[in-house]
Amino acid sequence: MGTLLLVRHGQASFGTDDYDRLTPLGERQSLNLGYAWEAGGWSPDVAMVGSLKRHHQTAIASLDVLGDVDGYDQDAGWDELDFEPLVDAYAPGTPRDDPKGFQKAFVAATAAWTRSELTGVAETFTDFSARVLTAFEAVASSVGRGQTGVVFTSGGPIAVVAAHLLGGGPDLWSRLNAAMVNTSTTKIVLGSAGRTLISFNEHGHLPASDVTYR
């Protein structure tokens, strides 16, 4: 059997002109993940990232701690859903400088999105899920027997994979997506009988003061 870890990126810069970059806290979260791997003697044989800047920054900070990882590959199939147009389609004019208010609008907008109730969006929930699961099968197939792999991605794609492996649908995806901690890891065993979810949203490498959800 092989194993695959799905890592959510570190805290991104919500409410700024460039959301797609880590905050200083996000960088520290990523380093702490790498230190935990180093302490446990863990190193991936296969490493993959989505195409977003925050994915790359999380990967670089985490993997550089290990020192012996020879880069990583990229697959945009692991990119997050484009959430801002969803919120704008559901509640036009939602301010970005109110994190709690935006989060409330985001939850309602994505719920409507999963029910195909939003119009004018570039990617449906069905299409989003399909591209993520295609990317998942591709990387899972590249992890050989006895090997380990890691993917640096976002909460939405991780929730797609977890809900799929648990046999759930859009409602389960929504609940899992809302609970995701920055730099948390989700572990999947890749066996001859299929793929099995072993753990979800682990974040023991973070002190309580560094646990964030967006």
Side-chain angles (χ1 to χ4, degrees):
M1 294 186 293
T3 59
L4 181 65
L5 291 184
L6 306 182
V7 177
R8 190 190 179 201
H9 62 78
Q11 185 189 59
S13 300
F14 180 82
T16 70
D17 291 338
D18 183 10
Y19 169 74
D20 190 23
R21 59 183 172 83
L22 298 187
T23 64
L25 173 56
E27 293 173 357
R28 185 165 74 245
Q29 292 167 334
S30 303
L31 285 171
N32 282 341
L33 178 59
Y35 293 142
W37 285 343
E38 181 184 43
W42 185 87
S43 181
D45 299 292
V46 175
M48 179 71 68
V49 300
S51 72
L52 302 178
K53 187 190 307 180
R54 58 191 183 271
H55 299 161
H56 287 266
Q57 291 175 330
T58 303
I60 290 169
S62 301
L63 296 177
D64 275 2
V65 172
L66 304 181
D68 60 349
V69 176
D70 296 326
Y72 49 77
D73 295 317
Q74 175 180 299
D75 183 350
W78 287 104
D79 287 357
E80 181 62 287
L81 59 102
D82 193 2
F83 61 87
E84 296 213 27
L86 300 186
V87 174
D88 289 337
Y90 181 81
T94 299
R96 272 38 174 181
D97 58 357
D98 175 12
K100 289 185 178 179
F102 186 88
Q103 180 66 18
K104 183 178 180 180
F106 168 78
V107 171
T110 52
W113 178 58
T114 62
R115 297 191 298 266
S116 301
E117 294 174 358
L118 293 184
T119 59
V121 296
E123 185 176 43
T124 66
F125 178 73
T126 299
D127 290 341
F128 170 64
S129 299
R131 75 161 163 85
V132 170
L133 292 177
T134 297
F136 169 61
E137 286 301 326
V139 72
S141 298
S142 73
V143 177
R145 189 179 186 87
Q147 290 188 323
T148 58
V150 62
V151 178
F152 295 89
T153 178
S154 295
I158 295 172
V160 165
V161 174
H164 170 72
L165 294 177
L166 292 172
D171 288 344
L172 179 57
W173 174 82
S174 295
R175 294 197 298 273
L176 296 176
N177 189 42
M180 203 83 62
V181 170
N182 291 116
T183 67
S184 65
T185 63
T186 293
K187 185 176 182 180
I188 298 162
V189 167
L190 311 170
S192 57
R195 290 79 165 90
T196 304
L197 183 68
I198 299 299
S199 64
F200 172 75
N201 204 30
E202 290 188 356
H203 50 278
H205 58 282
L206 297 176
S209 59
D210 285 356
V211 173
T212 58
Y213 296 87
R214 66 173 64 86

